[in-house]
Amino acid sequence: MAGTVQSVLGVGATLGEGPIWFEDAVWFVDIKGRRVHRFVPATGAARSWDMGAEVGWILPAATGGMIVGLQTGLHRFDPASGALQLLHRPEPGLPGNRLNDATTDAQGRLWFGSMDNGETAATGRLHRCADGHCSDAGLPPVVITNGPAISVDGRTLYHVDTLGRTIWRVPIHDDASLGTPVRHVTIEDGAGYPDGPTIDAEDHLWIGLFGGWGVRRYDQAGKLVGSMRFPVANVTKMTFGGADLRTAYATTAAKGLRAAERAAQPQAGDLFAFDPGVQGIRITAAKI
């Protein structure tokens, strides 16, 4: 990693999350602000959409448009018109839950998590959508799920238990079922909470640290091999963008900051960029 971290879009998100690089732009959400944001680095153009409900993530859809994870369920989103179409309600019996972070694998399967919106009950589950069918992926429930992230070869899933400060490594079988989780990384006390994970082209795991002032990079064995410090405390997730996927873009949050902390961190909630010194992986559109 080289250089410094810089704010590239001053949105002041309450809870920025889920950045992706798609069609020469960074797309991300403000969960509590109920908005989807789009930023084009080449021109500086920015646009946002009101989702009408808390929105955990946005991903491209293989059939066109985007898929968003709202508290009310999975929706198809048309950026041109702003229209939303309900596709699936994953947890109709848990109105206190919301969706929180997602990814796709190379086959276009959609993996997404849920969490207790009050951040106290262990009702967060990991879900999988494949071949038009969505189901619970079978991992033990936690209060706040984050991720997952998928290894380069598609054989390993990294699942984050945020309040447990643990990143789990889980085998993915040929039929997309999951094996037994193995503890991969535990974030030590005082270093913040593990938030959104991302995989780079060297199969290393990057993790945002909520309350930890930065991001970290871990190798396949779970060894810490790099980090980047931010000027704001709550770093939620990063992605790789640019024509060569060699620029890191990271979302941050103002959520939970006291007045004095907010004054000391005027860029909290902005979108940041830095040079990670490594290339990322292009996203696969969701086939649901």
Side-chain angles (χ1 to χ4, degrees), residues 106-256:
Q107 288 74 43
R109 294 179 296 222
L110 171 64
W111 302 82
F112 65 94
S114 65
M115 61 170 280
D116 172 31
N117 212 9
E119 302 182 11
T120 58
T123 54
R125 306 301 294 255
L126 183 70
H127 298 263
R128 176 188 59 244
C129 292
D131 301 322
H133 177 68
C134 297
S135 61
D136 188 320
L139 295 183
V142 297
V143 179
I144 300 175
T145 68
N146 259 297
I150 309 293
S151 63
V152 173
D153 65 4
R155 306 296 296 179
T156 302
L157 177 143
Y158 296 95
H159 171 62
V160 180
D161 172 5
T162 293
L163 293 190
R165 289 196 171 102
T166 301
I167 304 167
W168 296 92
R169 185 175 68 249
V170 190
I172 303 175
H173 302 313
D174 290 342
D175 62 356
S177 63
L178 297 179
T180 301
V182 175
R183 190 180 299 270
H184 185 62
V185 173
T186 298
I187 302 299
E188 69 275 16
D189 289 351
Y193 292 86
D195 208 311
T198 305
I199 294 289
D200 65 30
E202 296 179 357
D203 214 16
H204 285 46
L205 179 75
W206 296 75
I207 191 80
L209 294 173
F210 197 96
W213 297 87
V215 296
R216 288 181 175 181
R217 185 182 188 229
Y218 292 90
D219 68 12
Q220 298 95 323
K223 178 184 177 182
L224 178 63
V225 294
S227 64
M228 180 64 78
R229 185 170 175 83
F230 279 57
V232 297
N234 300 329
V235 185
T236 53
K237 190 172 183 177
M238 59 166 275
T239 192
F240 294 88
D244 54 2
L245 297 181
R246 288 186 174 274
T247 300
Y249 292 95
T251 47
T252 64
K255 180 180 181 289

Side-chain angles (χ1 to χ4, degrees), residues 41-95:
T43 64
R47 184 180 177 186
S48 67
W49 294 261
D50 183 355
M51 293 289 103
E54 293 188 6
V55 52
W57 47 265
I58 182 166
L59 291 166
T63 53
M66 313 291 280
I67 303 294
V68 290
L70 303 183
Q71 187 168 15
T72 51
L74 305 188
H75 290 70
R76 187 176 302 280
F77 169 55
D78 178 8
S81 66
L84 291 165
Q85 175 192 2
L86 178 65
L87 299 176
H88 175 63
R89 294 186 188 275
E91 298 173 343
L94 294 170

Side-chain angles (χ1 to χ4, degrees), residues 1-9 19-22 24-27 39-42 198-201 206 215 228 230 237-251 271-282:
M1 285 168 277
T4 59
V5 174
Q6 295 186 346
S7 170
V8 293
L9 184 64
I20 62 167
W21 179 260
F22 178 64
D24 300 321
V26 184
W27 296 75
F39 172 63
V40 183
T198 305
I199 294 289
D200 65 30
W206 296 75
V215 296
M228 180 64 78
F230 279 57
K237 190 172 183 177
M238 59 166 275
T239 192
F240 294 88
D244 54 2
L245 297 181
R246 288 186 174 274
T247 300
Y249 292 95
T251 47
L271 180 70
F272 288 82
F274 66 93
D275 177 3
V278 67
Q279 191 172 32
I281 301 169
R282 197 164 301 280

